[in-house]
Amino acid sequence: MNKEFLNRLEKIEKALDNALQMDFSDSWQLSSFGTLPEAVKPLFIQNLIEPNRKLVNLGGKRWRPLFLILCYELTAQKNAVHFTEEQAYGLTPLVEFVHTASLIHDDIEDSADLRRGKPAAHITYGVDTALNAASWLYFEAAVCINTLNFTKEKQLELYNLYSRELRRLHLGQAMDIYWHRNKSIFPTLEEYKAMVKNKTGTLSSLAAQIGYMAGGEAQESQIKAGDIASNLGVGFQIIDDVQNLTFGNPGKKRGDDIVEGKKSLPVLIHIHKKPDDKEKLSALMERAGKEGIDSPAVEECIKLLETSGCIEEAALQGKSIIEKNCRAFGDNSKMITELFDSMIPESFK
């Protein structure tokens, strides 16, 4: 990753740490909960924070908050009126905390055992604690809107944008759940891309729109940037899908999408090319789902997909989408291009 990103990432980590405190200071508690009854012990608050804090501390790419900051810098340099740098960094929990919460929920819904190389939150803390903590984090993420000294007008803008994108994210997840719970149902390519544009693209869109708002851009410009960014999210997800079927995603085992019954782009391209394989793929996914990640059905399914060249074709599509939409940010968006280029594995370039 570009060394110029390191200073920005350090500031992002400070903003995240400040927004999700493990010592739950009086000022933090007041901004989060208001005045609490004396009977509320620190242990109770810890049950909300710890599963989220642990996952945040495990790292992650942090590309969403970094993308927000790069969009802010791109626009603030040309506008006289914009948010301060401190306010821009202070808004990064809006995308990173939502992403964190969604990962915990995803792992529960997918019955996944690992996240970032460690046991998933519901394995460590139990489904009830993990589910509740992640749900709380969706709401906690928005506390920064109240604490950064925005005008009431800007607060309302941010709340409206944030809540709309969260609803879109859950719509995308509903589509994904429907397909992976029904192993014999395969979406069209258009349906798949619509799902990803909501599920993955919405946080990319949210990051860009917040960055453009913070940089002083008009609403029309924010919306346009959000649409371009949602397409970048689609490209990123396609690359992630391909990586899952080749050498595996960081902290996970190769082919766990097969176990979960995910109808990823490589799978859909294969079905389009070889429609007679649909029943066999469904059966392999069903078997892998029952037997787990070590099932021979996982590798058998991947080998079947490799026969059509669908994995390589999906990688090219994902790369093309990313390159095209990075260019759409204009001639001064070199660092945005470098950010997304850094997320494409060398083997796909």
Side-chain angles (χ1 to χ4, degrees):
M1 181 175 281
N2 189 323
K3 290 182 180 179
E4 292 184 45
F5 292 153
L6 296 179
N7 181 53
R8 295 170 175 83
L9 288 168
E10 287 178 5
K11 292 179 181 179
I12 288 168
E13 292 304 319
K14 288 180 181 178
L16 299 179
D17 288 343
N18 186 57
L20 194 60
Q21 297 180 9
M22 281 302 291
D23 60 359
F24 16 97
S25 64
D26 290 343
S27 61
W28 179 86
Q29 285 190 55
L30 190 63
S31 64
S32 183
F33 301 103
T35 303
L36 292 170
E38 291 184 8
V40 177
K41 299 175 183 177
L43 171 64
F44 305 140
I45 301 175
Q46 184 177 338
N47 287 337
L48 285 175
I49 296 177
E50 188 174 322
N52 298 306
R53 184 74 256 179
K54 185 175 181 180
L55 184 51
V56 170
N57 287 346
L58 285 175
K61 298 180 180 71
R62 300 285 195 266
W63 68 264
R64 296 163 185 85
L66 181 53
F67 182 40
L68 185 158
I69 294 301
L70 294 179
C71 286
Y72 163 72
E73 293 174 350
L74 179 67
T75 52
Q77 64 184 338
K78 62 178 182 178
N79 292 312
V81 179
H82 52 75
F83 293 180
T84 66
E85 181 182 281
E86 182 181 359
Q87 287 174 321
Y89 277 96
L91 287 170
T92 56
L94 282 173
V95 290
E96 190 61 24
F97 286 175
V98 170
H99 175 57
T100 300
S102 72
L103 293 181
I104 293 175
H105 280 176
D106 275 358
D107 289 341
I108 294 171
E109 292 161 356
D110 296 340
S111 299
D113 295 329
L114 294 176
R115 174 61 66 178
R116 294 175 180 164
K118 299 293 183 181
H122 66 280
I123 301 295
T124 301
Y125 299 99
V127 172
D128 49 1
T129 296
L131 184 65
N132 188 57
S135 297
W136 169 78
L137 192 60
Y138 281 128
F139 298 101
E140 181 64 21
V143 169
C144 61
I145 296 174
N146 295 333
T147 59
L148 290 170
N149 299 317
F150 297 119
T151 64
K152 294 297 182 183
E153 181 183 12
K154 285 299 178 186
Q155 283 184 348
L156 183 59
E157 267 188 73
L158 284 164
Y159 270 119
N160 285 340
L161 171 60
Y162 174 75
S163 58
R164 183 182 67 245
E165 295 302 318
L166 250 66
R167 292 191 292 272
R168 290 171 65 92
L169 183 150
H170 283 78
L171 171 60
Q173 181 70 347
M175 296 167 73
D176 196 24
I177 290 171
Y178 174 73
W179 292 321
H180 80 242
R181 285 178 66 87
N182 297 276
K183 302 293 191 293
S184 62
I185 298 177
F186 291 81
T188 65
L189 291 172
E190 291 74 19
E191 287 174 333
Y192 164 82
K193 289 179 180 178
M195 178 275 289
V196 177
K197 195 162 185 176
N198 283 312
K199 181 180 175 180
T200 307
T202 194
L203 286 185
S204 181
S205 176
L206 180 61
Q209 289 183 78
I210 291 173
Y212 267 53
M213 182 191 301
E217 288 291 296
Q219 191 172 52
E220 182 180 349
S221 180
Q222 294 170 32
I223 293 170
K224 182 179 178 181
D227 188 56
I228 296 168
S230 67
N231 291 327
L232 281 170
V234 173
F236 171 81
Q237 185 61 59
I238 291 171
I239 293 296
D240 198 64
D241 290 345
V242 170
Q243 195 170 344
N244 186 275
L245 298 172
T246 49
F247 42 87
N249 304 111
K252 288 198 163 192
K253 293 183 179 180
R254 161 176 149 124
D256 70 335
D257 280 356
I258 301 297
V259 177
E260 294 166 13
K262 292 291 180 72
K263 310 298 169 51
S264 62
L265 184 60
V267 172
L268 299 179
I269 292 174
H270 183 91
I271 291 296
H272 182 72
K273 289 184 169 186
K274 296 187 172 185
D276 291 343
D277 283 349
K278 184 180 289 187
E279 288 187 11
K280 188 172 183 180
L281 277 173
S282 296
L284 287 170
M285 287 182 171
E286 190 77 43
R287 181 182 163 197
K290 291 176 180 177
E291 296 177 354
I293 190 63
D294 296 320
S295 170
V298 174
E299 289 303 319
E300 191 176 340
C301 190
I302 293 174
K303 286 179 181 178
L304 179 61
L305 293 172
E306 288 173 343
T307 63
S308 68
C310 64
I311 298 175
E312 293 82 359
E313 187 172 331
L316 287 173
Q317 281 196 37
K319 183 172 176 286
S320 176
I321 290 170
I322 288 172
E323 291 174 347
K324 176 184 176 182
N325 286 280
C326 280
R327 289 194 298 270
F329 277 99
D331 295 335
N332 297 321
S333 58
K334 179 183 175 183
M335 295 194 72
I336 290 175
T337 299
E338 288 189 15
L339 170 62
F340 283 93
D341 184 65
S342 72
M343 294 188 291
I344 301 175
E346 287 298 325
S347 59
F348 297 166
K349 293 179 181 178

